[in-house]
Amino acid sequence: MLAFREKFAGKQQKSEKKEKKADKKKAEPAVLPLDQQADFFNKNIELTVAKIVDVKPNPEGEKLYIETLDDGSGTPRTIQSGLRMYLKESDLLGKHVIIAANLAPRTMRGVESRGMLLAGDYKDADGKDCVEVLDASWAKPGTKVVLEGADVNATKKEQITGDEFFAVQIAAKDGVVQIAGKKLLADGKEIKTTKALNSEIG
């Protein structure tokens, strides 16, 4: 799980020894019981469709891309992701992706990241580790991603921590992205994977 989070959130090693020791001592964030996850998600976590309009490597972080996105707000959003080992810039540019929009900003390798791209991992025919970014090509930037049956206009928390985000397990099961058995929808359409068919999403 920790390796999975590092891969998609672009977590980098701390430069100071004290921080490294503190990181090692931290317990892995708790996952909520299954029957509480959907309600927690509906009240707290805001997922939004955004279009990637620019991608460039972070020269200070060998695993990191700096992505500029149109999230429908009228103000460009910058997100960093640890995808350089898995995807080319052309694989991301122009894509309508799903982001954790209210994740608290954090600075990585000198650049503030405001959110996280959602993706799943899988192995190709040769056993190589690969990543599939969630696609919502039919939905315009700013479209809210909700659980089936939930109110698309519900107000979420302004900001959440990484621990709060990972308290809910988002997963692809047979290619359908869901939480606690409920499907994630963008503009009424199911979010699906084509390669990471049974994968944790983060």
Side-chain angles (χ1 to χ4, degrees), residues 45-63:
I45 299 173
E46 183 172 293
L47 301 184
T48 303
V49 176
K51 181 180 180 180
I52 300 176
V53 297
D54 187 54
V55 186
K56 59 186 177 183
N58 183 331
E60 302 298 323
E62 61 181 16
K63 298 179 181 179

Side-chain angles (χ1 to χ4, degrees), residues 101-113:
N102 62 339
L103 199 60
R106 67 184 194 131
T107 299
M108 299 184 292
R109 292 294 190 261
V111 178
E112 185 180 66
S113 179

Side-chain angles (χ1 to χ4, degrees), residues 25-181:
K25 291 180 180 178
K26 284 183 181 178
E28 186 174 332
V31 175
L32 289 169
L34 198 62
D35 61 353
Q36 297 178 27
Q37 291 189 28
D39 185 59
F40 183 88
F41 173 85
N42 288 335
K43 291 178 179 177
N44 296 279
I45 299 173
E46 183 172 293
L47 301 184
T48 303
V49 176
K51 181 180 180 180
I52 300 176
V53 297
D54 187 54
V55 186
K56 59 186 177 183
N58 183 331
E60 302 298 323
E62 61 181 16
K63 298 179 181 179
L64 292 171
Y65 278 135
I66 302 170
E67 297 116 355
T68 303
L69 301 102
D70 171 8
D71 63 3
S73 68
T75 301
R77 177 189 289 259
T78 299
I79 286 180
Q80 293 199 79
S81 60
L83 296 174
R84 276 172 66 182
M85 295 173 61
Y86 306 97
L87 296 169
K88 299 176 183 178
E89 293 169 48
S90 58
D91 294 328
L92 296 169
L93 189 62
K95 300 294 185 183
H96 286 224
V97 297
I98 296 171
I99 63 172
N102 62 339
L103 199 60
R106 67 184 194 131
T107 299
M108 299 184 292
R109 292 294 190 261
V111 178
E112 185 180 66
S113 179
R114 296 177 47 241
M116 183 174 72
L117 271 66
L118 270 60
D121 60 349
Y122 66 98
K123 292 185 182 295
D124 66 12
D126 298 321
K128 180 183 176 182
D129 289 331
C130 300
V131 170
E132 178 182 3
V133 175
L134 294 191
D135 171 70
S137 52
W138 63 90
K140 65 181 182 181
T143 300
K144 301 305 178 186
V145 177
V146 299
L147 284 179
E148 54 185 339
D151 180 6
V152 70
N153 296 311
T155 301
K156 306 291 184 79
K157 288 179 68 172
E158 184 175 345
Q159 285 189 3
I160 59 170
T161 66
D163 285 359
E164 286 176 299
F165 177 79
F166 286 111
V168 171
Q169 291 180 315
I170 307 175
K173 295 186 178 180
D174 296 324
V176 179
V177 181
Q178 53 192 276
I179 295 171

